[in-house]
Amino acid sequence: MTYLLLNLAFLAVVALVAVATLIARRAPRWRVIALTAIPLVVLTAVFDNVLVGVGIVAYNPHLISGLRLGVAPVEDFAYAIAAVVLLPCLWSLLMPRSTLRPTEHPR
């Protein structure tokens, strides 16, 4: 199994949870998630490039897409993106409705 297929499986689960928050009308603030993703992806790029560049982490070239940001394969970024979307969505779904902001209650 390639890293891309593994990422797609995890990202599909994340997408299902995100859609569930929309259906339940309990979606988190997407702008905040996007603003959080920016520094997280930048930090992931920096640290992944260091880890791969010094040889602490290596990837089988036959299992990656070949696209890289620096020396880090793009597949490495899926985990950061999945976390920044999944955690707030799960929080929104699992939080009792009484603690949601007034604008989040269904009309």
Side-chain angles (χ1 to χ4, degrees), residues 48-107:
D48 282 2
N49 274 284
V50 169
L51 291 173
V52 174
V54 298
I56 294 172
V57 176
Y59 293 91
N60 182 334
H62 300 346
L63 299 178
I64 61 173
S65 66
L67 296 173
R68 296 177 180 265
L69 283 172
V71 294
V74 294
E75 289 89 345
D76 260 359
F77 294 87
Y79 303 107
I81 293 166
V84 81
V85 172
L86 182 63
L87 294 176
C89 287
L90 281 176
W91 184 275
S92 294
L93 281 174
L94 299 176
M95 183 185 302
R97 272 199 193 271
S98 61
T99 60
L100 293 174
R101 294 181 305 274
T103 58
E104 290 182 328
H105 288 286
R107 295 176 191 193

